[in-house]
Amino acid sequence: METVINIFIIALGLYFGLGLLFGLYFLFAGATTIDPLMKESKKVVRLLLLPGTIATWPFLIGKLFQSKKV
């Protein structure tokens, strides 16, 4: 049981670690491709959006790739 818990914690850490890396890139460079109004937003607003971006990064990475194809 301890092994299962360790695997779960490692997987959760990887998920949030990748989410943090993607979130920083997305909020400061990639979000403007999906929403042009993000160019006018302040950095403080973008940092407030960071937790939500970390949690939903698989969905947002798909939206980012779809918007670059158009």
Side-chain angles (χ1 to χ4, degrees):
M1 185 67 176
E2 187 177 325
T3 305
V4 174
I5 294 171
N6 285 335
I7 291 172
F8 179 74
I9 290 174
I10 290 170
L12 196 62
L14 286 173
Y15 179 85
F16 284 114
L18 289 173
L20 178 64
L21 292 175
F22 173 76
L24 290 173
Y25 164 75
F26 180 75
L27 289 177
F28 291 105
T32 56
T33 60
I34 294 174
D35 186 8
L37 294 176
M38 283 296 290
K39 290 180 184 175
E40 301 171 9
S41 69
K42 296 181 180 181
K43 290 182 180 180
V44 174
V45 173
R46 292 179 186 210
L47 287 176
L48 288 173
L49 295 172
L50 185 62
T53 306
I54 291 171
T56 59
W57 72 268
F59 172 72
L60 291 173
I61 202 167
K63 295 285 272 187
L64 186 64
F65 285 136
Q66 285 177 356
S67 69
K68 286 188 176 185
K69 289 181 182 178
V70 174

